[in-house]
Amino acid sequence: MTDYRRLRVALLGAGAVGSQVAALLRQHADELADRAGARLELVGIAVRDVDAKRDVELPQELFTTDADALIVGSDIVIELMGGIEPARTYLLHAINSGADVVTANKALLATHGPEIFDAADQVGAEVYYEAAAAGAIPIIRPLRDSLAGDRVQRIMGIVNGTTNYILDRMDTEGAEFSDVLADAQRLGYAEADPTADVEGYDAAQKAAILASLAFHTTVPLEAVHREGITAIDSSMMDAARHAGYVIKLLAVCERLTEESGESISVRVYPALIDRAHPLASVHGANNAVFVQAEAAGNLMFYGAGAGGVQTASAVLGDVVSAARRHIAGGVGVGESTLANLPIVPVGRVTTRYQITLEVDDQPGVLATVAGILSDGRVSIATVEQTVEQTVAQAVGDARDSEGGVARLVIGTHKALEQDLSETVDRLAASGVVERVVSVLRVEGN
């Protein structure tokens, strides 16, 4: 057996991912040593409760509640606790102690990333976070390294497995949101409190990380426009399917060219994707990231976006990279944010839309709706109308031969988000529109 240098590895957190990382570090110790050029010695695991039940069996003597003592003297610190504090404090302590750090903590990086990266730059350490954006999918390194010489124009990502599972079942089975959510919670795809997933917070954190890398610009979380999927229902799914679309919760990171120069938009919302687009075929709880680069063209990264052993794969890849850097020596590679592009609000984004309205089934209504759209600089591409008869009409009562409710599904050409939003408000207040059922963006074109 080769006599490798030993590197001390500290692990913070032993949940679904942490316990798998610990088990794999021990199980594949010889293999990892050959790949890293150093023997990775797991010296301890910091947890809140040393007696808690774990997903895998690990030696009890590894566990400690003293994270600070564990960090001191470690060469690599893996943070898999989640949340902001005490994870932020521990990571800064590790960096200032001379360790490289590996984390899957998207919330922490989306809110305190610049502080953590700056601390690492100050001491020549490096922060690795492949598992923070899309679970097992390798996307951080391609954006940071492989595409560093290219210009990324756009990223569209399905980066939350819970919402993709819900929307996929609603599409394929015609199920309602609440029923599928209950199943997702029962199966462990969704938390008891699913807010972070279904309201888009998780996806927004990942979008901030991806956009920061792709556009070499610090993207604060508050600059990410966010909408969730709780308003999506089976009728919206039916309309999307009829028009040749599928609804996905997308993280969209886009480079914009305006008269004033280049800027970026970062947003998360449910959107329509043509069924021929690669992202439309992402089913179940899987994730995918579709990257459009100036020279490389279209690239697709697909796989498991969550899961203990799957995410552990990405974490261990980072650990091996950190070990190799320790052996090679030199300072860590800092984050590139010098482009410093301005981040525009969602109102300045241009895309296509599908607007669904309920209107009175009366002569002249369609002309009025078309006029309001035209006045708002929103051009109609397609219109489809269906009519729901009143009970009197259905039985042929001549006293109520007119009336009823018509549903209009309007597809638009590209329009400015701000113009579209103002126009929809005018439609809602026009007197001919009973209800604005939905407004969905069309992406991927």
Side-chain angles (χ1 to χ4, degrees):
M1 185 173 64
T2 305
D3 186 19
Y4 289 115
R5 171 184 166 186
R6 291 182 178 271
L7 294 177
R8 293 167 55 86
V9 178
L11 175 61
L12 311 181
V17 178
S19 58
Q20 291 290 347
V21 167
L24 292 172
L25 273 171
R26 291 168 52 80
Q27 182 181 344
H28 301 308
D30 292 340
E31 232 178 299
L32 292 171
D34 289 339
R35 295 174 192 173
R39 185 156 294 277
L40 303 171
E41 181 186 357
L42 180 61
V43 295
I45 307 171
V47 294
R48 285 191 296 267
D49 180 3
V50 296
D51 296 318
K53 186 177 180 181
R54 314 292 173 195
D55 290 348
V56 296
E57 205 170 306
L58 295 165
Q60 190 67 18
E61 61 268 19
L62 282 176
F63 293 100
T64 178
T65 57
D66 192 346
D68 287 307
L70 182 61
I71 288 168
V72 174
S74 294
D75 300 297
I76 301 169
V77 175
I78 308 169
E79 183 277 308
L80 298 172
M81 306 171 67
I84 304 299
E85 289 292 357
R88 170 185 162 274
T89 298
Y90 289 150
L91 275 190
L92 291 174
H93 179 31
I95 289 167
N96 291 325
S97 298
D100 282 346
V101 296
V102 175
T103 180
N105 196 330
K106 54 190 173 291
L108 179 60
L109 293 178
T111 52
H112 293 283
E115 177 189 18
I116 291 167
F117 295 131
D118 183 63
D121 286 344
Q122 295 298 319
V123 299
E126 191 158 346
V127 181
Y128 298 84
Y129 53 101
E130 184 63 72
I137 301 173
I139 185 62
I140 299 300
R141 284 189 191 86
L143 288 176
R144 186 176 58 188
D145 301 329
S146 306
L147 295 173
D150 207 336
R151 283 168 56 85
V152 174
Q153 301 293 346
R154 201 163 194 250
I155 294 173
M156 290 194 301
I158 297 170
V159 294
N160 182 272
T162 300
T163 51
N164 199 60
Y165 171 82
I166 292 170
L167 293 175
D168 185 46
R169 281 196 53 194
M170 290 177 70
D171 174 59
T172 57
E173 300 175 16
E176 289 292 354
F177 172 83
S178 58
D179 296 331
V180 183
L181 174 59
D183 284 346
Q185 290 171 316
R186 179 176 53 81
L187 294 169
Y189 290 136
E191 301 288 344
D193 179 0
T195 303
D197 293 321
V198 299
E199 294 294 354
Y201 290 100
D202 175 84
Q205 292 164 355
K206 295 170 180 176
I209 293 169
L210 294 175
S212 296
L213 279 170
F215 304 124
H216 308 282
T217 296
T218 298
V219 177
L221 186 56
E222 58 269 21
V224 180
H225 176 81
R226 175 197 54 78
E227 298 174 28
I229 66 167
T230 53
I232 305 297
D233 61 22
S234 58
S235 67
M236 295 165 70
M237 284 290 182
D238 291 342
R241 190 182 307 107
H242 184 73
Y245 297 119
V246 62
I247 300 175
K248 298 289 188 182
L249 182 70
L250 293 182
V252 182
C253 313
E254 186 174 23
R255 186 190 299 267
L256 306 175
T257 301
E258 302 177 304
E259 289 184 6
S260 57
E262 286 195 336
S263 58
I264 60 175
S265 165
V266 188
R267 54 203 192 262
V268 168
Y269 46 51
L272 297 167
I273 287 280
D274 191 289
R275 287 186 177 268
H277 194 281
L279 287 176
S281 61
V282 179
H283 299 295
N286 286 312
N287 283 191
V289 181
F290 189 79
V291 179
Q292 295 170 284
E294 189 175 85
N298 295 337
L299 305 169
M300 178 84 158
F301 302 84
Y302 169 86
V309 69
Q310 293 91 341
T311 306
S313 168
V315 172
L316 287 173
D318 280 346
V319 172
V320 169
S321 294
R324 288 172 176 168
R325 193 191 79 77
H326 268 273
I327 298 304
V331 298
V333 179
E335 296 300 297
S336 171
T337 57
L338 296 180
N340 199 29
L341 295 173
I343 306 165
V344 301
V346 71
R348 283 167 58 181
V349 171
T350 299
T351 189
R352 295 191 295 129
Y353 299 86
Q354 185 190 77
I355 308 166
T356 303
L357 307 173
E358 285 183 355
V359 301
D360 292 330
D361 183 27
Q362 299 288 349
V365 168
L366 182 55
T368 300
V369 169
I372 293 172
L373 288 166
S374 177
D375 291 343
R377 298 181 293 278
V378 179
S379 174
I380 296 176
T382 61
V383 178
E384 182 166 331
Q385 176 176 321
T386 57
V387 177
E388 298 177 10
Q389 292 183 322
T390 64
V391 173
Q393 287 174 306
V395 298
D397 191 334
R399 293 171 299 176
D400 191 12
S401 59
E402 294 184 359
V405 176
R407 176 166 287 207
L408 298 179
V409 180
I410 302 169
T412 78
H413 293 292
K414 285 190 174 183
L416 192 66
E417 172 89 19
Q418 183 174 332
D419 290 344
L420 189 284
S421 179
E422 292 171 355
T423 300
V424 169
D425 287 343
R426 287 196 291 272
L427 284 169
S430 66
V432 300
V433 174
E434 295 288 336
R435 183 167 72 99
V436 177
V437 178
S438 65
V439 178
L440 290 170
R441 290 92 168 176
V442 180
E443 296 287 359
N445 55 305

